[in-house]
Amino acid sequence: MNKLDNIIYISVPEHIELDVGGFTLDRDRLLPVESTSGADRYNIEDLSWEQIVAAMLKILAYAPHHDDADYYREFITTISPDLITDLTQTAILKTRNGDLEVAEEIFLALCGLQPHDIPASVNLALLYEQVADRAAEIDDDASQEAIEKVLEIYHRVFAADDVPAEAHLNAGYFYARHGEPERALEHLRAYCDEGDDDEKIEEARRLIDEIESQNLSDTQFKEAYDFIRMGREADGIERIREFLASHPTVWNGWFVLGWGLRRMERYADARDAFNTALEHGPRRTDTLNELAICSMELGELDTARDLLIEALRQEPENTKIISNLGIVSLRQERTTDAEGFFRAVLEIDPSDPIATSYLAELNGQ
């Protein structure tokens, strides 16, 4: 279904004053309204400026090049000068609460309302990163689609002039996480040159040192990551083994090997790779979670639980970790604990499909 299917267009009613909050309406332009009843059955008595603004925002979200887009932008910003701030705060809150679908529409509307505003685009990119992370374990296609959206946004952002330093920092982290170390270095260095937050600069420099010292810009490492991300696990494993032959102490390499093996359901081999990653590197949440999944599939439920609890201490609201604790609890026949974990997930993210499915199963639905 097209997101704009319920938008209808009406003439400016004769009884309405053309001056609205300092904006002069054009009677030759139709006003958009969202309605499920169709234009013929719409009751003009129900019309409100809030409805019109909401419809304009929806059009700007999904059709930012609409013929009347500039007219809508001028109308909204004139009669509601504080709306951009209010919408931004609402979208950020929705994102934190895990309501990503609503947050996405608000951020899209903000981008349509301010097509040249870089912070609005960066906020949308950060949202799509969360979408990609959420989908990674259940729908590779959806995860990849979200990643492509992030790449498209950053391509557009960095083609502009006067890019804020914060955009470089966010992009640097994104590229580092997604197997693009050269791009990550470019943006992290830019942030170190242009940023003014000493703590963030120090963190960026630490990541730069990590990338440089561990040879993460090596072609074999990049190819291995890309192959596994695209579902070509066997090719990725071959490449990362070649990389590890030359760089046997690089923990990220062992992590990528474990990731590929786990996706191929070679859990014992993946467990060994993740353990080696922990020997050479930090006990990060992602590594602990991946190792816990392998332990769980190998029947080592107490070990899996301990690893997940350790990961949860680092990221108390990580729904992936909490869901996996629920699954471990189920396999340990600790049904009450499992239900508690899945409910905790839904408190953070009411639309989480894994927790919803397991709770429905537990409740016999």
Side-chain angles (χ1 to χ4, degrees), residues 172-173 175-185 188 206-226 240 243-244 247 249-256 282 284:
Y173 283 128
Y175 288 124
R177 291 181 62 226
H178 292 278
E180 294 280 358
E182 292 293 346
R183 286 189 179 182
L185 288 172
L188 291 169
R206 276 200 294 267
L207 184 52
I208 289 170
D209 290 342
E210 182 178 316
I211 293 170
E212 291 178 335
S213 66
Q214 299 198 23
N215 299 291
L216 299 189
S217 59
D218 185 282
T219 301
Q220 290 171 328
F221 182 90
K222 291 164 63 178
E223 288 181 348
Y225 181 91
D226 287 339
I240 202 63
F243 172 83
L244 287 168
H247 310 289
T249 61
V250 175
W251 74 267
N252 308 69
W254 290 103
F255 178 89
V256 170
R284 292 188 174 178

Side-chain angles (χ1 to χ4, degrees), residues 105-261:
E105 182 162 311
I106 298 174
F107 279 134
L108 284 170
L110 285 165
C111 289
L113 189 56
Q114 318 161 87
H116 304 297
D117 184 75
I118 291 176
S121 295
V122 172
N123 280 333
L124 183 59
L126 293 172
L127 170 76
Y128 284 135
E129 284 192 58
Q130 289 197 38
V131 172
D133 289 344
R134 177 190 287 183
E137 296 302 321
I138 54 177
D139 188 342
D140 282 341
D141 290 341
S143 181
Q144 185 57 34
E145 181 182 348
I147 289 171
E148 292 298 330
K149 288 179 179 178
V150 179
L151 291 170
E152 181 183 334
I153 289 171
Y154 281 138
H155 177 76
R156 187 171 65 248
V157 163
F158 293 111
D161 297 325
D162 300 322
V163 177
E166 201 76 16
H168 284 292
L169 183 64
N170 291 329
Y173 283 128
F174 170 77
Y175 288 124
R177 291 181 62 226
H178 292 278
E180 294 280 358
E182 292 293 346
R183 286 189 179 182
L185 288 172
E186 174 190 344
H187 291 291
L188 291 169
R189 287 168 180 155
Y191 181 77
C192 290
D193 290 339
E194 301 170 17
D196 57 9
D197 186 313
D198 291 341
E199 188 175 331
K200 290 180 179 179
I201 290 172
E202 183 179 349
E203 183 61 32
R205 284 178 176 152
R206 276 200 294 267
L207 184 52
I208 289 170
D209 290 342
E210 182 178 316
I211 293 170
E212 291 178 335
S213 66
Q214 299 198 23
N215 299 291
L216 299 189
S217 59
D218 185 282
T219 301
Q220 290 171 328
F221 182 90
K222 291 164 63 178
E223 288 181 348
Y225 181 91
D226 287 339
F227 278 140
I228 296 171
R229 181 169 56 86
M230 294 185 295
R232 295 171 58 183
E233 286 84 1
D235 292 328
I237 288 169
E238 180 182 350
R239 286 289 192 282
I240 202 63
R241 287 194 190 281
E242 292 171 359
F243 172 83
L244 287 168
S246 302
H247 310 289
T249 61
V250 175
W251 74 267
N252 308 69
W254 290 103
F255 178 89
V256 170
L257 175 61
W259 178 43
L261 291 167

Side-chain angles (χ1 to χ4, degrees), residues 266-329:
R266 293 171 54 183
Y267 297 115
D269 292 337
R271 175 191 58 191
D272 293 344
F274 288 127
N275 274 322
T276 305
L278 290 176
E279 289 174 12
H280 294 296
R283 298 182 71 82
R284 292 188 174 178
T285 301
D286 287 346
T287 312
L288 295 170
N289 183 57
E290 289 284 355
L291 182 54
I293 292 171
C294 296
S295 299
M296 180 166 49
E297 295 301 332
L298 292 167
E300 302 165 356
L301 299 180
D302 289 339
T303 299
R305 189 181 188 87
D306 290 343
L307 290 164
L308 290 168
I309 289 173
E310 181 181 351
L312 193 63
R313 289 194 186 102
Q314 295 181 29
E315 297 185 25
E317 294 193 354
N318 187 317
T319 55
K320 184 164 52 177
I321 302 296
I322 302 171
S323 279
N324 283 339
L325 275 166
I327 295 169
V328 169
S329 297

Side-chain angles (χ1 to χ4, degrees), residues 45-78:
E45 300 298 324
D46 295 333
L47 182 64
S48 68
W49 294 119
E50 289 78 8
Q51 287 180 325
I52 293 169
V53 168
M56 288 180 174
L57 286 170
K58 194 155 194 173
I59 293 168
L60 291 173
Y62 298 108
H65 300 296
H66 187 280
D67 288 346
D68 286 333
D70 287 337
Y71 180 73
Y72 297 161
R73 292 181 185 113
E74 186 181 354
F75 177 82
I76 293 170
T77 54
T78 300

